[in-house]
mmCIF file of all heavy atoms in Angstrom:
data_model
loop_
_atom_site.group_PDB
_atom_site.id
_atom_site.type_symbol
_atom_site.label_atom_id
_atom_site.label_comp_id
_atom_site.label_asym_id
_atom_site.label_seq_id
_atom_site.Cartn_x
_atom_site.Cartn_y
_atom_site.Cartn_z
ATOM 1 N N GLN B 149 1.284 -1.237 36.968
ATOM 2 C CA GLN B 149 2.124 -0.840 38.098
ATOM 3 C C GLN B 149 2.614 -2.094 38.828
ATOM 4 O O GLN B 149 2.274 -2.366 39.975
ATOM 5 C CB GLN B 149 1.350 0.083 39.031
ATOM 6 C CG GLN B 149 0.977 1.413 38.386
ATOM 7 C CD GLN B 149 0.224 2.322 39.331
ATOM 8 O OE1 GLN B 149 0.542 2.404 40.511
ATOM 9 N NE2 GLN B 149 -0.771 3.031 38.809
ATOM 10 N N ASN B 150 3.416 -2.841 38.118
ATOM 11 C CA ASN B 150 3.956 -4.102 38.600
ATOM 12 C C ASN B 150 5.415 -4.160 38.181
ATOM 13 O O ASN B 150 5.742 -3.832 37.029
ATOM 14 C CB ASN B 150 3.164 -5.269 37.993
ATOM 15 C CG ASN B 150 3.624 -6.622 38.484
ATOM 16 O OD1 ASN B 150 4.748 -7.044 38.238
ATOM 17 N ND2 ASN B 150 2.746 -7.332 39.180
ATOM 18 N N PRO B 151 6.319 -4.576 39.075
ATOM 19 C CA PRO B 151 7.745 -4.594 38.710
ATOM 20 C C PRO B 151 8.049 -5.389 37.449
ATOM 21 O O PRO B 151 8.962 -5.033 36.696
ATOM 22 C CB PRO B 151 8.403 -5.231 39.942
ATOM 23 C CG PRO B 151 7.483 -4.925 41.072
ATOM 24 C CD PRO B 151 6.104 -4.962 40.490
ATOM 25 N N TRP B 152 7.280 -6.462 37.206
ATOM 26 C CA TRP B 152 7.544 -7.259 36.005
ATOM 27 C C TRP B 152 7.273 -6.458 34.738
ATOM 28 O O TRP B 152 7.899 -6.690 33.699
ATOM 29 C CB TRP B 152 6.708 -8.537 36.028
ATOM 30 C CG TRP B 152 7.046 -9.450 37.155
ATOM 31 C CD1 TRP B 152 6.253 -9.747 38.228
ATOM 32 C CD2 TRP B 152 8.263 -10.169 37.352
ATOM 33 N NE1 TRP B 152 6.905 -10.604 39.088
ATOM 34 C CE2 TRP B 152 8.145 -10.880 38.568
ATOM 35 C CE3 TRP B 152 9.446 -10.278 36.624
ATOM 36 C CZ2 TRP B 152 9.153 -11.702 39.061
ATOM 37 C CZ3 TRP B 152 10.463 -11.090 37.123
ATOM 38 C CH2 TRP B 152 10.313 -11.776 38.314
ATOM 39 N N MET B 153 6.330 -5.511 34.803
ATOM 40 C CA MET B 153 6.023 -4.702 33.624
ATOM 41 C C MET B 153 7.102 -3.667 33.355
ATOM 42 O O MET B 153 7.097 -3.018 32.314
ATOM 43 C CB MET B 153 4.663 -4.013 33.799
ATOM 44 C CG MET B 153 3.480 -4.956 33.671
ATOM 45 S SD MET B 153 3.451 -5.871 32.112
ATOM 46 C CE MET B 153 3.147 -4.533 30.968
ATOM 47 N N ALA B 154 8.024 -3.482 34.296
ATOM 48 C CA ALA B 154 9.139 -2.568 34.056
ATOM 49 C C ALA B 154 10.229 -3.214 33.215
ATOM 50 O O ALA B 154 11.080 -2.507 32.649
ATOM 51 C CB ALA B 154 9.724 -2.097 35.388
ATOM 52 N N ILE B 155 10.203 -4.565 33.116
ATOM 53 C CA ILE B 155 11.240 -5.237 32.331
ATOM 54 C C ILE B 155 10.678 -6.146 31.240
ATOM 55 O O ILE B 155 11.360 -6.413 30.241
ATOM 56 C CB ILE B 155 12.174 -6.061 33.246
ATOM 57 C CG1 ILE B 155 11.368 -7.020 34.119
ATOM 58 C CG2 ILE B 155 13.019 -5.150 34.112
ATOM 59 C CD1 ILE B 155 12.232 -7.933 34.970
ATOM 60 N N HIS B 156 9.426 -6.618 31.423
ATOM 61 C CA HIS B 156 8.847 -7.531 30.437
ATOM 62 C C HIS B 156 8.703 -6.908 29.043
ATOM 63 O O HIS B 156 9.199 -7.494 28.055
ATOM 64 C CB HIS B 156 7.501 -8.055 30.961
ATOM 65 C CG HIS B 156 6.542 -8.490 29.913
ATOM 66 N ND1 HIS B 156 6.819 -9.488 29.008
ATOM 67 C CD2 HIS B 156 5.280 -8.056 29.617
ATOM 68 C CE1 HIS B 156 5.785 -9.648 28.204
ATOM 69 N NE2 HIS B 156 4.848 -8.799 28.554
ATOM 70 N N PRO B 157 8.061 -5.730 28.883
ATOM 71 C CA PRO B 157 7.861 -5.211 27.523
ATOM 72 C C PRO B 157 9.150 -4.928 26.752
ATOM 73 O O PRO B 157 9.261 -5.323 25.583
ATOM 74 C CB PRO B 157 7.033 -3.931 27.750
ATOM 75 C CG PRO B 157 6.344 -4.164 29.043
ATOM 76 C CD PRO B 157 7.339 -4.915 29.873
ATOM 77 N N PRO B 158 10.155 -4.237 27.331
ATOM 78 C CA PRO B 158 11.347 -3.978 26.512
ATOM 79 C C PRO B 158 12.081 -5.237 26.098
ATOM 80 O O PRO B 158 12.597 -5.313 24.966
ATOM 81 C CB PRO B 158 12.218 -3.092 27.412
ATOM 82 C CG PRO B 158 11.681 -3.224 28.780
ATOM 83 C CD PRO B 158 10.241 -3.550 28.637
ATOM 84 N N ILE B 159 12.130 -6.252 26.967
ATOM 85 C CA ILE B 159 12.787 -7.502 26.587
ATOM 86 C C ILE B 159 11.983 -8.208 25.498
ATOM 87 O O ILE B 159 12.544 -8.725 24.516
ATOM 88 C CB ILE B 159 12.966 -8.409 27.819
ATOM 89 C CG1 ILE B 159 13.966 -7.779 28.789
ATOM 90 C CG2 ILE B 159 13.437 -9.799 27.410
ATOM 91 C CD1 ILE B 159 14.144 -8.552 30.082
ATOM 92 N N LEU B 160 10.666 -8.235 25.664
ATOM 93 C CA LEU B 160 9.817 -8.842 24.639
ATOM 94 C C LEU B 160 9.982 -8.111 23.312
ATOM 95 O O LEU B 160 10.027 -8.746 22.247
ATOM 96 C CB LEU B 160 8.355 -8.804 25.083
ATOM 97 C CG LEU B 160 7.374 -9.546 24.170
ATOM 98 C CD1 LEU B 160 7.530 -11.053 24.337
ATOM 99 C CD2 LEU B 160 5.932 -9.141 24.467
ATOM 100 N N TYR B 161 10.091 -6.789 23.358
ATOM 101 C CA TYR B 161 10.246 -6.017 22.131
ATOM 102 C C TYR B 161 11.549 -6.351 21.416
ATOM 103 O O TYR B 161 11.595 -6.380 20.176
ATOM 104 C CB TYR B 161 10.194 -4.515 22.438
ATOM 105 C CG TYR B 161 8.805 -3.918 22.376
ATOM 106 C CD1 TYR B 161 7.727 -4.604 22.903
ATOM 107 C CD2 TYR B 161 8.568 -2.678 21.808
ATOM 108 C CE1 TYR B 161 6.444 -4.072 22.861
ATOM 109 C CE2 TYR B 161 7.293 -2.129 21.759
ATOM 110 C CZ TYR B 161 6.233 -2.829 22.283
ATOM 111 O OH TYR B 161 4.974 -2.302 22.229
ATOM 112 N N VAL B 162 12.627 -6.578 22.178
ATOM 113 C CA VAL B 162 13.889 -6.956 21.535
ATOM 114 C C VAL B 162 13.695 -8.232 20.720
ATOM 115 O O VAL B 162 14.202 -8.360 19.599
ATOM 116 C CB VAL B 162 15.006 -7.135 22.581
ATOM 117 C CG1 VAL B 162 16.254 -7.736 21.943
ATOM 118 C CG2 VAL B 162 15.355 -5.802 23.232
ATOM 119 N N GLY B 163 12.954 -9.194 21.283
ATOM 120 C CA GLY B 163 12.685 -10.415 20.544
ATOM 121 C C GLY B 163 11.734 -10.202 19.390
ATOM 122 O O GLY B 163 11.964 -10.692 18.275
ATOM 123 N N TYR B 164 10.664 -9.473 19.643
ATOM 124 C CA TYR B 164 9.648 -9.221 18.621
ATOM 125 C C TYR B 164 10.231 -8.417 17.457
ATOM 126 O O TYR B 164 10.117 -8.799 16.295
ATOM 127 C CB TYR B 164 8.529 -8.432 19.292
ATOM 128 C CG TYR B 164 7.139 -8.914 18.979
ATOM 129 C CD1 TYR B 164 6.793 -10.250 19.095
ATOM 130 C CD2 TYR B 164 6.144 -8.008 18.604
ATOM 131 C CE1 TYR B 164 5.511 -10.682 18.828
ATOM 132 C CE2 TYR B 164 4.855 -8.430 18.336
ATOM 133 C CZ TYR B 164 4.540 -9.772 18.454
ATOM 134 O OH TYR B 164 3.277 -10.197 18.183
ATOM 135 N N VAL B 165 10.867 -7.303 17.798
ATOM 136 C CA VAL B 165 11.456 -6.441 16.775
ATOM 137 C C VAL B 165 12.652 -7.124 16.138
ATOM 138 O O VAL B 165 12.922 -6.961 14.943
ATOM 139 C CB VAL B 165 11.879 -5.091 17.396
ATOM 140 C CG1 VAL B 165 12.532 -4.195 16.354
ATOM 141 C CG2 VAL B 165 10.686 -4.394 18.027
ATOM 142 N N GLY B 166 13.377 -7.916 16.944
ATOM 143 C CA GLY B 166 14.587 -8.553 16.446
ATOM 144 C C GLY B 166 14.361 -9.526 15.320
ATOM 145 O O GLY B 166 15.318 -9.909 14.625
ATOM 146 N N THR B 167 13.128 -9.951 15.076
ATOM 147 C CA THR B 167 12.861 -10.869 13.971
ATOM 148 C C THR B 167 13.212 -10.258 12.626
ATOM 149 O O THR B 167 13.467 -10.989 11.666
ATOM 150 C CB THR B 167 11.384 -11.299 13.951
ATOM 151 O OG1 THR B 167 10.549 -10.131 13.862
ATOM 152 C CG2 THR B 167 11.014 -12.064 15.216
ATOM 153 N N ILE B 168 13.258 -8.929 12.550
ATOM 154 C CA ILE B 168 13.538 -8.297 11.265
ATOM 155 C C ILE B 168 15.002 -8.452 10.865
ATOM 156 O O ILE B 168 15.332 -8.440 9.673
ATOM 157 C CB ILE B 168 13.160 -6.800 11.265
ATOM 158 C CG1 ILE B 168 13.150 -6.265 9.823
ATOM 159 C CG2 ILE B 168 14.122 -5.994 12.127
ATOM 160 C CD1 ILE B 168 12.678 -4.840 9.688
ATOM 161 N N ILE B 169 15.926 -8.627 11.827
ATOM 162 C CA ILE B 169 17.346 -8.666 11.478
ATOM 163 C C ILE B 169 17.698 -9.931 10.701
ATOM 164 O O ILE B 169 18.249 -9.844 9.593
ATOM 165 C CB ILE B 169 18.224 -8.506 12.737
ATOM 166 C CG1 ILE B 169 17.848 -7.219 13.488
ATOM 167 C CG2 ILE B 169 19.685 -8.504 12.345
ATOM 168 C CD1 ILE B 169 18.059 -5.952 12.704
ATOM 169 N N PRO B 170 17.406 -11.152 11.210
ATOM 170 C CA PRO B 170 17.678 -12.329 10.369
ATOM 171 C C PRO B 170 16.867 -12.323 9.091
ATOM 172 O O PRO B 170 17.343 -12.779 8.043
ATOM 173 C CB PRO B 170 17.303 -13.514 11.277
ATOM 174 C CG PRO B 170 16.441 -12.950 12.349
ATOM 175 C CD PRO B 170 16.903 -11.534 12.540
ATOM 176 N N PHE B 171 15.650 -11.784 9.149
ATOM 177 C CA PHE B 171 14.835 -11.695 7.938
ATOM 178 C C PHE B 171 15.511 -10.823 6.892
ATOM 179 O O PHE B 171 15.602 -11.206 5.713
ATOM 180 C CB PHE B 171 13.458 -11.131 8.289
ATOM 181 C CG PHE B 171 12.609 -10.810 7.082
ATOM 182 C CD1 PHE B 171 12.242 -11.793 6.187
ATOM 183 C CD2 PHE B 171 12.161 -9.504 6.849
ATOM 184 C CE1 PHE B 171 11.453 -11.502 5.075
ATOM 185 C CE2 PHE B 171 11.378 -9.210 5.746
ATOM 186 C CZ PHE B 171 11.020 -10.202 4.858
ATOM 187 N N ALA B 172 16.024 -9.661 7.300
ATOM 188 C CA ALA B 172 16.686 -8.761 6.351
ATOM 189 C C ALA B 172 17.926 -9.419 5.755
ATOM 190 O O ALA B 172 18.179 -9.312 4.540
ATOM 191 C CB ALA B 172 17.063 -7.455 7.046
#
């Protein structure tokens, strides 16, 4: 219940998940 947790995970996920695009 922290404002940073409202934006940190989805942005991190874009980077984390995004590794598959250049890999593919």
Side-chain angles (χ1 to χ4, degrees):
Q149 295 181 40
N150 182 296
W152 296 112
M153 287 304 293
I155 54 176
H156 155 59
I159 293 176
L160 186 74
Y161 270 42
V162 171
Y164 225 50
V165 178
T167 57
I168 194 175
I169 305 298
F171 172 61

